[in-house]
Amino acid sequence: MMKTAYMDYNATAPILPSAASAMADAINLVGNPSSVHRLGREARAKMEAARDAVAALVNAPRDWVIFTSGGTEADALALDGVDCERVLVSAVEHAAVLNARADVEVIAVDANGLIDLTALENMLDGRSTLISVMAANNETGVIQPVKDVVALARKYGALVHCDAVQAVGKTPFDMLALDLDMVSLSAHKIGGPQGVGALVKREGITLNAVQRGGGQERSLRGGTENLIGIIGFGAAAKEVMDFSSIEVLRDLLETQTKTRGAKVLGETVERLPNTSCFAFEGLPSERQVMALDLAGVMVSAGSACSSGTVKASHVLKAMKVDEELANCAIRVSLGWGSTKDDVEMFVEAWSKLVERVQTRKSSRSNAA
Ligand code: PLP
């Protein structure tokens, strides 16, 4: 079998063994968590245990957790379900936030992708407002000053939603300490299954369900819950991981790419320990991703969450990264199964590509 290196954890993390085994055990559960009989109660007890684990992951009370079909639905419920006149979102948000409704107003970011707090303050005017800012960016790993956003919001009486899909599990995240109103989570970014997530909503904030139906999830998300997925989510949420060894691998990879001429984006500000977004001029993202794939190394260009096609990244555009450079950016993201071998495989394959570009460039300039 071909040796491979999976380095695309921000797109999806491989399932953790504990989550896989919890789900395998759950597959034969019979009861619907809404049924009052014994098997229904058993199913509900398992679901509520998972709710405890997910709540603990972000330090929130258990009854704030509303299970959804993933991060996208959690974002949609927060932005579309809220009872506010205006919704302000940062320019680097995931498409799940940017496209949650048609009337979002966009807050500018600086060259590192950090939200422009002055621009935000200028937009706030006392009307009922929800501000949505992500905890960490999926493409660059840049961590937003969420605390400062909340402080500004409180001054103007606005609510704050935080898409913490990429941050939780990788960097400390405490919903209560940050004084957030709503937080979106997704299981498959932390080693749980795809297709399950949660919106964690502070008590007292009124939301209208986007998916109506039965009275599940306190009437905020109709439909029989994805019990197996939720159990897997709960198991993954219990695994508190130390990302310091992953950060060492990420830094090793960056040192190797920088010596060969790569430019790391967002390098000078606080970032997730597992993510590196860098560009090498003259080497289009798509070519890098495809050549690396042939060598067994899996990374992504721009946001892989979309459609499988590589298009200009709205994140790098908002950071005003030169378009040509932005088209040469790739994202490497590591996680619980990453090893030094992966990094070495990446560096070997990527360096070959770079050497080819450099040879071509120098033979062109010799010919001129
Ligand atoms: N928010 C962020 C920051 C993400 O990175 C993603 C997925 O990449 C999502 C939301 C969407 O989550 P899901 O795939 O669970 O719908």
Side-chain angles (χ1 to χ4, degrees), residues 56-356:
L57 182 67
V58 294
N59 189 30
R62 61 185 314 282
D63 54 356
W64 290 14
V65 175
I66 306 154
F67 286 118
T68 65
S69 66
T72 302
E73 193 192 324
D75 287 340
L77 179 56
L79 270 73
D80 219 14
V82 78
D83 205 8
C84 280
E85 266 178 273
R86 307 170 72 199
V87 176
L88 313 183
V89 308
S90 94
V92 293
E93 294 302 309
H94 190 270
V97 164
L98 286 170
N99 298 331
R101 49 193 280 171
D103 61 349
V104 295
E105 296 171 56
V106 177
I107 314 156
V109 296
D110 69 11
N112 284 310
L114 291 173
I115 188 165
D116 181 339
L117 293 167
T118 313
L120 170 59
E121 183 154 21
N122 288 337
M123 291 169 91
L124 293 168
D125 59 7
R127 277 183 285 167
S128 66
T129 302
L130 174 74
I131 302 166
S132 182
V133 62
M134 67 205 321
N137 187 266
N138 44 302
E139 292 183 35
T140 59
V142 166
I143 294 176
Q144 293 290 349
V146 175
K147 219 176 177 145
D148 298 337
V149 172
V150 174
L152 261 185
R154 296 295 171 246
K155 196 168 144 191
Y156 291 88
L159 299 176
V160 185
H161 162 254
C162 181
D163 179 333
V165 162
Q166 293 291 348
V168 287
K170 297 173 188 158
T171 187
F173 185 89
D174 184 323
M175 180 176 180
L176 285 185
L178 287 167
D179 192 26
L180 285 160
D181 298 302
M182 291 188 275
V183 169
S184 292
L185 304 173
S186 174
H188 73 107
K189 310 291 184 179
I190 63 164
Q194 297 175 353
V196 58
L199 180 69
V200 190
K201 179 187 78 72
R202 178 188 291 281
E203 205 187 320
I205 290 172
T206 311
L207 273 189
N208 300 305
V210 173
Q211 178 164 305
R212 290 175 288 274
Q216 291 91 348
E217 298 301 284
R218 289 175 286 124
S219 295
L220 287 169
R221 204 277 182 177
T224 301
E225 296 87 348
N226 171 4
L227 182 62
I228 299 170
I230 288 170
I231 287 171
F233 190 8
K238 278 192 197 147
E239 300 246 353
V240 181
M241 251 172 281
D242 176 13
F243 265 69
S244 55
S245 56
I246 293 168
E247 188 166 17
V248 171
L249 293 179
R250 191 275 311 266
D251 291 349
L252 175 69
L253 185 138
E254 278 191 355
T255 312
Q256 295 292 332
T257 54
K258 280 194 294 184
T259 20
R260 289 165 178 82
K263 179 170 169 36
V264 177
L265 303 163
E267 188 187 5
T268 54
V269 293
E270 203 188 345
R271 283 182 299 155
L272 291 176
N274 78 316
T275 309
S276 184
C277 179
F278 54 87
F280 186 87
E281 226 175 307
L283 200 46
S285 319
E286 208 162 350
R287 233 175 82 205
Q288 295 186 60
V289 172
M290 287 191 304
L292 289 167
D293 188 33
L294 285 175
V297 179
M298 286 156 273
V299 301
S300 82
S303 175
C305 252
S306 34
S307 53
T309 54
V310 181
K311 53 180 192 265
S313 150
H314 71 278
V315 173
L316 302 185
K317 218 170 168 177
M319 289 162 67
K320 298 196 170 65
V321 175
D322 172 75
E323 200 179 328
E324 242 172 78
L325 192 67
N327 288 335
C328 295
I330 59 168
R331 175 190 71 188
V332 178
S333 51
L334 311 177
W336 65 267
S338 298
T339 62
K340 198 164 174 216
D341 257 11
D342 295 339
V343 174
E344 283 165 2
M345 248 179 101
F346 173 89
V347 173
E348 196 189 323
W350 190 79
S351 305
K352 278 188 197 150
L353 264 174
V354 167
E355 275 160 28
R356 249 181 273 153

Side-chain angles (χ1 to χ4, degrees), residues 4-80:
T4 57
Y6 182 76
M7 304 173 97
D8 202 10
Y9 277 69
N10 286 11
T12 199
I15 197 143
L16 284 161
S18 59
S21 104
M23 290 169 74
D25 289 348
I27 202 120
N28 289 316
L29 286 173
V30 172
N32 181 322
S34 295
S35 298
V36 292
H37 51 64
R38 187 189 320 158
L39 289 180
R41 291 198 309 275
E42 269 176 29
R44 173 156 297 273
K46 300 254 185 216
M47 189 170 81
E48 295 313 314
R51 197 184 305 277
D52 284 337
V54 171
L57 182 67
V58 294
N59 189 30
R62 61 185 314 282
D63 54 356
W64 290 14
V65 175
I66 306 154
F67 286 118
T68 65
S69 66
T72 302
E73 193 192 324
D75 287 340
L77 179 56
L79 270 73
D80 219 14

